[in-house]
């Protein structure tokens, strides 16, 4: 059974940084694309970033130049390094297996950007 456990969310001031982690088990992590999505309260899930199995990265326009997605295949961990955070980045962040936006199965990790 695939398990995704996100962590690293916190309350941070605008301009701050955070690194999110997603530990994956029960899945052939190294061969799969992995994706971060986020959900603002009361709104739908939106795509943030994807990393392909070959390391190719994709980002939504609003986070380009500020967020970096990476992966540790040896430990089956997905990361999202976030810099220059803005209030509009406030959301619950989820990791997904694959490169499609689907209903998250993890509990997510909450990021709040506020002064």
């Amino acid at each position: 059974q695939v398990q995704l456990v996100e962590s690293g969310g916190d309350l941070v001031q605008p301009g701050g940084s955070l690194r999110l982690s997603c530990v994956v088990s029960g899945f052939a992590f190294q061969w799969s694309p992995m994706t971060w999505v986020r959900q603002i309260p009361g709104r739908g899930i939106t795509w943030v970033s994807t990393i392909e199995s070959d390391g190719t990265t994709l980002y939504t326009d609003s986070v380009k130049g500020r967020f970096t997605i990476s992966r540790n295949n040896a430990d089956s961990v997905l990361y999202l390094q976030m810099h220059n955070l803005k209030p509009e980045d406030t959301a619950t962040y989820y990791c997904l297996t694959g490169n499609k936006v689907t209903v998250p199965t993890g509990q997510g990790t909450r990021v709040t950007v506020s002064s």
Side-chain angles (χ1 to χ4, degrees):
Q1 183 176 356
V2 179
Q3 287 194 319
L4 305 164
V5 180
E6 302 95 341
S7 64
D10 205 346
L11 170 63
V12 63
Q13 292 188 344
S17 298
L18 284 174
R19 188 176 81 156
L20 307 184
S21 300
C22 171
V23 177
V24 183
S25 59
F27 184 71
F29 179 86
Q30 69 183 102
W31 307 116
S32 175
M34 293 295 297
T35 293
W36 284 100
V37 297
R38 62 189 178 186
Q39 184 170 28
I40 298 170
R43 300 189 184 180
I45 294 168
T46 58
W47 173 71
V48 176
S49 180
T50 293
I51 184 166
E52 301 288 350
S53 58
D54 66 359
T56 301
T57 57
L58 301 166
Y59 300 93
T60 192
D61 286 346
S62 63
V63 309
K64 282 180 181 176
R66 300 188 299 121
F67 290 10
T68 302
I69 190 172
S70 63
R71 61 194 299 161
N72 180 332
N73 287 336
D75 295 330
S76 298
V77 183
L78 179 71
Y79 298 103
L80 187 68
Q81 178 68 56
M82 306 186 293
H83 294 297
N84 191 21
L85 282 161
K86 303 177 180 182
E88 51 264 42
D89 295 318
T90 295
T92 298
Y93 286 71
Y94 301 90
C95 62
L96 305 174
T97 58
N99 55 11
K100 300 289 191 293
V101 176
T102 57
V103 176
T105 58
Q107 85 287 350
T109 188
R110 177 77 177 163
V111 173
T112 303
V113 185
S114 174
S115 54

